[in-house]
Amino acid sequence: MIRKVLIANRGEIAIRIGHTLREMEIETVSVFTEPDEHSLHVRAASTARRIESYLDASEIVRAAKESGADAIHPGYGFLSENPSLSEECEKAGVIFIGPRPNTIRAMGDKLESKRLMQSAGVPVVPSWDGTPPASEYPVLVKAVGGGGGKGMRLVEKVEDLAEAMASASREASNAFDDSRVFIEKYIRRPRHIEFQILGDSHGNHIHVFERECSIQRRHQKIIEETPSTAMTPKLREQMGAAAVAASKAVDYRGAGTVEFILDPTGSFYFLEMNTRLQVEHPITEMTTGLDLVREQILVAQGEKLSYRQADLRPVGHSMECRIYAEVPEENFRPSTGTIEIFEPPAGPGVRLDSGVARGSVVSYHFDPLLAKLVVWASSREAAIDRMKRALADFVLLGVRNNIEFLHRVISAADFSSGEIDTGFLERHPELFTVSADVPVEALLVASLGGDKAGSGDRIPDVWNSGSWRNS
Amino acid sequence: MTSRTHSTFQISGRSISFRLLEPNLIEIDGKRHRFYVLHRRHEHIVWLDGHTYHLQRADRGGLSPAAAVPASGEITALMPGKVLRIEVKVGDAVAEKQTVAMMESMKMESALHAPKAGRVAAIHCRPGQVVEMGELLIVIE
């Protein structure tokens, strides 16, 4: 039985994992690096240990041993898909809450994972080791060791290939310590559909339905939902069977995700398998009632999954918006600063997985994901209405963020009709423009606080000029 | 400041009556609105009914795109981060929009472009250096 878990992560995911651990009456140890000393995930744990790096497997395993933790939860990102942590855990006799090192290694190598999936009968995207023939462009350059859009480049012409590979390789080397890249056929108007899978050490493998993650910027997801508007019962059965075949092919243990791309004709291809908890896992939890972290813990201590395939019946519709510290209107440039006002939304069917609160400092050291706003409702239409309301209620000031942009995206007519694919944002440049006009009500409230405040009936002249603009 | 009596706000010949009910609640022409305000040196940030406005004076030079001054040759860091590489040296001729350096911030690479055609007059940073937002990095003349 697992009694104490070291959470080898930070931000919202460290906090979310802590929630389930406390519900299971398991003690938690959090780790932090110097810039994170005052971060929310450190305050949320009963024990906290300072480390030099979230990427040093030996240091993290040592911290687990010294703090008496019998298991490590890697979260996502950082060391979650680096086989060295799983390996170091095995050597030190600490339980790694995730798959075995061989599974991580095989699935982390995109070329090997494709070969494995191909032999298991799962359809894969054509790829090349060398330079593809000119007729095959556009192609995608991807990092062998990575994900999340890092180290990925779209190449339209053969003469741009060398530079794209060099730049992708550098980015991959910085992000994953592995500079290898490969080239894959680019599928036009693809949807990104992934299936949640769970496997245990008793030979049970199930899928927990799909998540549609087609709304992306820079190849990174910003809005996810389940069920997908592209799904039919027949397609779900086919893709679900392929996901379970993938899980069985590697005798998968724990929670994982099989990512597919789906083209407009209904053909789907294996993209990659993420051998960890996914950022967007909450939407699956909302429609099925599962706690995926709880299943991870049960599997890690050798128990059977709590569910068989036939037990699972998704209900309603769930959607997630990723709240990033970035300015979408300025090419998604990251923003830093201190969150001075933080008033999150609440109400029926609203879940917020947040790594920040009032006073949190957002620095350039880490990924700009601040929080995930998740809603559930009985239908997709009601879920969109609920998400719009929750975004409109969310006050986050002090760091520029994408809350209003997300509201504009889900308010777009194409989004409500479900006509989405990974090129959605590129087709909608109008979503990136903000009116420079300032309503008089905004000027009025601006005049009521701070050193330029008005008092009584008199509003200083500065506010009466109509020459303010929104930027 | 918290006046529960009716006040009026005059703007562009319009007169708007309002009551401040609580620090973050105002009634304007009979309708209630939630609001938050942050005053910054260069802008006032207002959140009102789900919209955030970054208020800047339109009559000051450079704030409005229409009033933009001719492109300055100064390249500054758009965000805090690390300089990965510098692709030019002092004296090099550069074209407008040419990539002159790469930066990394929040694990993402971004390119710095020459704001105008010219020659590299000075380089104020080196690869690996951590820079603050607004820091002067390269000058094109």
Side-chain angles (χ1 to χ4, degrees):
Chain A
M1 288 294 278
I2 292 171
R3 287 166 294 104
K4 193 171 191 176
V5 172
L6 181 139
I7 304 167
N9 216 299
R10 65 180 301 280
E12 65 85 19
I13 195 63
I15 293 170
R16 185 264 168 271
I17 293 162
H19 287 148
T20 293
L21 292 173
R22 292 208 312 282
E23 285 164 20
M24 297 176 81
E25 296 185 351
I26 295 170
E27 279 187 83
T28 57
V29 181
S30 75
V31 289
F32 64 95
T33 58
E34 193 256 322
D36 256 341
E37 191 180 346
H38 302 288
S39 295
L40 207 56
H41 80 274
V42 184
R43 281 189 262 158
S46 49
T47 323
R49 293 181 71 92
R50 179 165 163 182
I51 53 170
E52 287 307 311
S53 167
Y54 293 107
L55 288 166
D56 185 340
S58 332
E59 186 188 24
I60 283 170
V61 172
R62 203 161 56 240
K65 290 299 265 185
E66 285 170 12
S67 55
D70 39 28
I72 292 178
H73 195 306
Y76 57 68
F78 294 125
L79 289 168
S80 61
E81 292 181 287
N82 185 329
S84 67
L85 181 60
S86 181
E87 250 160 31
E88 296 263 350
C89 281
E90 266 186 11
K91 272 190 258 164
V94 174
I95 296 170
F96 176 75
I97 302 174
R100 290 155 302 164
N102 286 344
T103 311
I104 300 176
R105 199 175 292 108
M107 292 297 111
D109 184 321
K110 291 199 175 135
L111 299 178
E112 197 189 332
S113 71
K114 279 177 75 173
R115 277 194 294 273
L116 256 165
M117 289 306 130
Q118 225 166 349
S119 57
V122 179
V124 302
V125 184
S127 62
W128 299 270
D129 288 330
T131 303
S135 60
E136 297 289 349
Y137 286 79
V139 295
L140 269 185
V141 174
K142 300 170 86 174
V144 171
K150 281 160 192 161
M152 194 190 288
R153 297 286 185 281
L154 173 63
V155 184
E156 303 274 0
K157 311 187 289 290
V158 67
E159 53 269 34
D160 297 337
L161 185 65
E163 198 194 318
M165 288 185 74
S167 153
S169 177
R170 268 192 313 273
E171 199 170 296
S173 172
N174 285 340
F176 318 113
D177 205 18
D178 181 348
S179 63
R180 290 175 300 153
V181 294
F182 70 104
I183 306 161
E184 199 170 71
K185 171 132 191 84
Y186 180 68
I187 311 276
R188 293 198 181 269
R189 294 191 80 121
R191 284 178 183 251
H192 176 119
I193 310 267
E194 60 186 30
F195 273 71
Q196 176 70 51
I197 54 158
L198 285 170
D200 64 22
S201 51
H202 305 273
N204 300 305
H205 298 271
I206 61 174
H207 73 81
V208 199
F209 312 104
E210 81 277 8
R211 290 184 289 257
E212 160 115 41
C213 314
S214 297
I215 307 292
Q216 305 186 351
R217 60 114 174 88
R218 289 177 167 166
H219 303 290
Q220 226 175 6
K221 304 158 188 169
I222 57 169
I223 299 173
E224 302 96 343
E225 62 180 307
T226 186
S228 161
T229 53
M231 208 49 68
T232 60
K234 189 173 164 230
L235 185 58
R236 182 177 288 118
E237 204 179 299
Q238 289 171 347
M239 293 181 78
V244 169
S247 182
K248 283 183 177 159
V250 291
D251 189 18
Y252 196 81
R253 308 274 165 89
T257 293
V258 184
E259 296 190 337
F260 297 102
I261 49 179
L262 176 68
D263 76 12
T265 70
S267 297
F268 62 91
Y269 307 93
F270 170 82
L271 199 59
E272 61 183 50
M273 184 167 176
N274 297 131
T275 54
R276 52 167 164 84
L277 195 64
Q278 202 84 329
V279 176
E280 58 275 18
H281 77 276
I283 59 174
T284 297
E285 297 184 327
M286 298 296 267
T287 52
T288 60
L290 261 77
D291 178 339
L292 291 168
V293 175
R294 179 182 282 259
E295 294 304 312
Q296 287 186 299
I297 309 280
L298 296 180
V299 169
Q301 58 191 24
E303 293 180 46
K304 285 184 180 170
L305 292 172
S306 322
Y307 302 84
R308 290 162 304 165
Q309 192 68 57
D311 297 334
L312 298 172
R313 295 261 185 277
V315 178
H317 200 96
S318 183
M319 196 171 279
E320 171 181 281
C321 280
R322 298 193 188 186
I323 313 296
Y324 281 109
E326 67 184 17
V327 188
E329 300 79 13
E330 293 171 31
N331 201 21
F332 297 103
R333 84 174 157 82
S335 173
T336 56
T338 300
I339 296 176
E340 297 190 30
I341 298 172
F342 186 80
E343 301 284 340
V350 175
R351 163 175 172 178
L352 185 74
D353 285 19
S354 178
V356 297
R358 185 179 203 131
S360 290
V361 176
V362 180
S363 71
Y364 67 87
H365 298 275
F366 306 109
D367 188 270
L369 180 68
L370 301 175
K372 303 178 318 204
L373 179 57
V374 181
V375 301
W376 179 91
S378 56
S379 68
R380 184 170 190 266
E381 201 186 352
I384 291 174
D385 290 346
R386 183 160 281 169
M387 183 60 91
K388 284 194 211 165
R389 190 271 298 169
L391 287 167
D393 278 356
F394 202 157
V395 191
L396 199 165
L397 295 183
V399 176
R400 297 285 292 251
N401 60 71
N402 64 343
I403 293 175
E404 269 190 87
F405 173 73
L406 291 164
H407 194 284
R408 291 198 295 273
V409 174
I410 63 167
S411 304
D414 285 8
F415 185 84
S416 355
S417 66
E419 293 301 307
I420 53 179
D421 60 67
T422 56
F424 185 89
L425 293 183
E426 280 161 35
R427 281 200 304 281
H428 288 279
E430 79 282 2
L431 298 173
F432 293 87
T433 52
V434 180
S435 168
D437 296 342
V438 182
V440 291
E441 291 83 359
L443 286 178
L444 166 54
V445 299
S447 74
L448 298 174
D451 53 357
K452 293 193 172 62
S455 58
D457 289 340
R458 213 186 144 274
I459 303 290
D461 290 344
V462 60
W463 297 107
N464 282 338
S465 109
S467 60
W468 290 89
R469 63 187 300 273
N470 180 33
S471 76
Chain B
M1 178 180 106
T2 311
S3 155
R4 286 185 172 275
T5 59
H6 285 269
S7 304
T8 52
F9 182 78
Q10 304 286 338
I11 184 166
S12 312
R14 266 182 75 191
S15 176
I16 298 166
S17 78
F18 69 92
R19 275 194 309 160
L20 188 60
L21 304 170
E22 282 173 43
N24 298 106
L25 188 66
I26 190 168
E27 191 181 87
I28 303 173
D29 289 335
K31 208 178 149 207
R32 290 170 174 227
H33 304 265
R34 249 178 108 199
F35 75 95
Y36 295 85
V37 181
L38 281 184
H39 295 283
R40 291 284 171 85
R41 222 173 74 184
H42 302 292
E43 62 181 5
H44 306 278
I45 306 169
V46 175
W47 186 97
L48 179 72
D49 296 335
H51 294 282
T52 302
Y53 303 94
H54 295 261
L55 305 187
Q56 297 186 347
R57 292 297 295 262
D59 50 0
R60 295 220 176 116
L63 286 180
S64 138
V69 288
S72 136
E74 295 190 349
I75 301 171
T76 54
L78 289 173
M79 49 193 153
K82 193 166 80 178
V83 177
L84 287 180
R85 163 165 111 260
I86 298 164
E87 301 192 342
V88 291
K89 18 180 228 311
V90 173
D92 281 2
V94 291
E96 188 182 341
K97 293 185 180 157
Q98 180 184 333
T99 300
V100 293
M102 295 295 290
M103 273 191 67
E104 186 197 66
S105 186
M106 290 168 157
K107 311 286 175 211
M108 270 179 285
E109 275 192 24
S110 57
L112 294 174
H113 303 287
K116 59 175 186 181
R119 215 161 270 285
V120 179
I123 296 176
H124 297 288
C125 57
R126 54 190 157 65
Q129 187 179 337
V130 172
V131 295
E132 292 301 322
M133 184 163 89
E135 204 169 316
L136 182 62
L137 304 179
I138 296 174
V139 181
I140 311 288
E141 58 172 28

